[in-house]
Amino acid sequence: SFTLFIVLVFLQNFFRMRQTTSAGLKFLKKLSGLIQTAAGTHKVSTLQELAHAQRHFISKMKEPQFLQRIERENLISEWKQIELNLTYELGGSTIYSSMNFIDSFFSFDKFLNSIVTRSVMLSPSVLTGLGIIGTFLGLALGVGSAASGLASPDISEAREAMSKLLSGAQLAFISSLAGLFFALLMRLSYTKRSEKIRLAL
């Protein structure tokens, strides 16, 4: 039935969304851990801590063990992007990074768009649309099958036609409810998982 089709669309996009957001979160945790290791800290509160983190970063980038970790965690291309966008003060004691690079590399919206497919992002709207289509389809089927019977003077035929009309209306309302329910569930799940990614950035 049409309601089953809505459920299948939801399940396909739901599991795809879970898979992509889990992979994105795992990637961010690995990259974040790598940057924290390079800086020697997970939080910088003072200028002195910043200077220490910069010195630690410069020395760490030359260590063979650290470079092996980058290879082991498959972050070579990301690390190259980070390295290419770092500039050094004369003498090599201070690191700077392009703000455009930071905005593009660690932007929540851009990162989310890069890991989540358009079909997943649009699935709440698609599910709502399918629910509306199911509503009109059910009503059209019910009215179409009952039209001739309702005009009949025979009471048994009229009752049968009314039964068909109610069956069509039932399909319409169930499809509509299923579409709205699964669209809401998808939106809430996506929001919850994307919030985890936002906090990890």
Side-chain angles (χ1 to χ4, degrees):
S1 72
F2 196 78
T3 306
L4 181 61
F5 175 67
I6 292 172
V7 173
L8 290 174
V9 170
F10 164 75
L11 289 173
Q12 181 186 19
N13 286 296
F14 180 77
F15 286 114
R16 190 181 296 162
M17 180 268 296
R18 283 184 65 89
Q19 185 181 14
T20 53
T21 51
S22 293
L25 194 58
K26 189 177 177 182
F27 164 79
L28 277 177
K29 284 180 179 177
K30 282 202 301 185
L31 185 62
S32 177
L34 197 69
I35 292 169
Q36 286 174 16
T37 302
T41 181
H42 68 281
K43 188 178 180 183
V44 173
S45 303
T46 64
L47 288 172
Q48 190 177 358
E49 287 176 356
L50 177 63
H52 172 75
Q54 289 173 334
R55 286 193 299 272
H56 195 278
F57 202 101
I58 293 166
S59 63
K60 203 73 178 171
M61 285 171 72
K62 300 169 186 174
E63 288 183 9
Q65 288 179 335
F66 184 71
L67 298 174
Q68 285 170 6
R69 179 181 169 182
I70 293 169
E71 288 181 18
R72 193 168 58 248
E73 295 188 3
N74 293 322
L75 294 170
I76 296 170
S77 91
E78 288 78 21
W79 194 255
K80 279 184 179 177
Q81 286 182 63
I82 291 170
E83 275 194 297
L84 287 169
N85 284 275
L86 296 176
T87 54
Y88 297 89
E89 192 181 59
L90 190 64
S93 60
T94 308
I95 300 174
Y96 297 97
S97 181
S98 160
M99 285 307 293
N100 290 333
F101 163 71
I102 290 171
D103 288 343
S104 62
F105 200 77
F106 292 106
S107 165
F108 169 66
D109 291 326
K110 288 181 182 177
F111 181 77
L112 208 59
N113 288 335
S114 71
I115 62 166
V116 180
T117 61
R118 290 281 295 167
S119 63
V120 169
M121 294 183 89
L122 293 173
S123 59
S125 300
V126 170
L127 288 164
T128 304
L130 287 173
I132 293 168
I133 290 170
T135 302
F136 288 112
L137 184 64
L139 291 173
L141 289 172
V143 171
S145 61
S148 59
L150 288 172
S152 173
D154 189 349
I155 295 173
S156 61
E157 278 188 35
R159 282 180 180 171
E160 190 179 338
M162 186 61 72
S163 177
K164 288 177 181 177
L165 181 62
L166 290 173
S167 294
Q170 184 182 25
L171 170 66
F173 291 123
I174 289 173
S175 298
S176 183
L177 282 171
L180 290 170
F181 172 75
F182 288 117
L184 181 62
L185 187 59
M186 186 73 183
R187 197 179 298 278
L188 289 172
S189 300
Y190 177 70
T191 302
K192 185 179 178 181
R193 295 184 74 83
S194 59
E195 181 64 11
K196 286 182 180 179
I197 290 173
R198 189 188 68 79
L199 293 172
L201 280 168

